[in-house]
Amino acid sequence: EKSRRLVFEEASTTAAAALLALVNYAPPAYATPMVTAEEFETIIRDSSKSIQLVEFAGTNGEVVTVRLVDGTTFGISDVVESPIDP
């Protein structure tokens, strides 16, 4: 039978390891880089001719992928469905 102290220590160690894993999580190298909608608006304003394609996917068009003329690809992270046009 384990003592309460040993059970507490094991639980604390497990919780600390899980928290450390979450804090140190880094997306994989192959993950698509993301920008915010505000950052994308700046790109449109300053360099609109550099945008080759903007694709909307997902059930509500909430997944947006942008391709620039130089081949750079990135996503827009904070797109949400809106019941009205802005």
Side-chain angles (χ1 to χ4, degrees):
E1 182 178 338
K2 294 182 180 181
S3 70
R4 287 184 185 178
R5 180 178 178 177
L6 184 56
V7 170
F8 177 74
E9 287 175 358
E10 288 176 354
S12 298
T13 302
T14 302
L19 181 60
L20 185 60
L22 288 174
V23 170
N24 288 327
Y25 173 75
Y30 57 83
T32 302
M34 303 295 274
V35 300
T36 65
E38 184 177 341
E39 291 168 327
F40 184 60
E41 288 173 2
T42 301
I43 293 170
I44 291 173
R45 185 180 63 243
D46 296 347
S47 309
S48 62
K49 292 183 181 181
S50 67
I51 299 169
Q52 180 179 30
L53 178 69
V54 178
E55 293 180 310
F56 294 85
T59 56
N60 296 314
E62 73 281 4
V63 178
V64 181
T65 305
V66 180
R67 187 174 344 143
L68 303 180
V69 293
D70 69 358
T72 302
T73 302
F74 58 89
I76 302 176
S77 62
D78 54 354
V79 174
V80 293
E81 180 185 14
S82 173
I84 58 169
D85 287 334

